Amino acid sequence: QVQVVESGGGLVQAGGSLRLSCAASGRIFRIHAMGWYRQAPGKQRELVAGISSGGSTNYADSVKGRFAISRDNLKNTVYLQMNSLKPEDTAVYYCNAKGVTVLTTDFDSWGQGTQVTVSS
């Protein structure tokens, strides 16, 4: 009932920047939180950055000072600005949205993921 679609991944050299976007759509009444996760080959999926409906943010220690998450509540969209990228940031990045549908059921929806590759 709620779809999440990411965009903006790609190949970039170390030190470069990328901006990811994620839009949630469907029978949304309210989104409580949105976040970006990543999964590198052979590793578990990990939280990169999250943002609440009120704008509170949290980041993985490995990206603090380099990544910035922001949100447009009117568009149900979240962004991840990634600067000073490192080869270890290479992963598939997934967007997640949690909230309530117009049918008053909870949702916890994931996107399909977008590949980010940082070359050294």
Side-chain angles (χ1 to χ4, degrees):
Q1 294 185 351
V2 176
Q3 297 79 41
V4 175
V5 179
E6 306 100 336
S7 61
L11 173 65
V12 65
Q13 288 188 331
S17 299
L18 280 175
R19 188 186 192 220
L20 305 182
S21 299
C22 166
S25 62
R27 311 181 97 180
I28 298 170
F29 175 69
R30 180 178 292 123
I31 296 179
H32 298 314
M34 298 186 78
W36 288 97
Y37 294 73
R38 67 186 180 187
Q39 187 166 18
K43 295 187 177 181
Q44 289 189 328
R45 189 174 297 188
E46 63 175 355
L47 174 68
V48 177
I51 187 167
S52 70
S53 59
S56 298
T57 60
N58 61 293
Y59 295 92
D61 288 343
S62 60
V63 307
K64 285 180 180 177
R66 300 189 297 122
F67 291 10
I69 189 170
S70 59
R71 178 172 171 173
D72 185 333
N73 288 334
L74 293 179
K75 297 181 179 179
N76 291 332
T77 299
V78 66
Y79 307 95
L80 185 67
Q81 178 66 42
M82 304 185 295
N83 300 324
S84 302
L85 282 160
K86 304 176 181 179
E88 51 263 45
D89 294 318
T90 295
V92 178
Y93 284 69
Y94 297 90
C95 180
N96 175 263
K98 296 181 177 65
V100 181
T101 71
V102 296
L103 301 178
T104 70
T105 57
D106 294 336
F107 69 86
D108 183 351
S109 299
W110 292 88
Q112 293 296 309
T114 184
Q115 177 71 45
V116 171
T117 302
V118 184
S119 63
S120 58

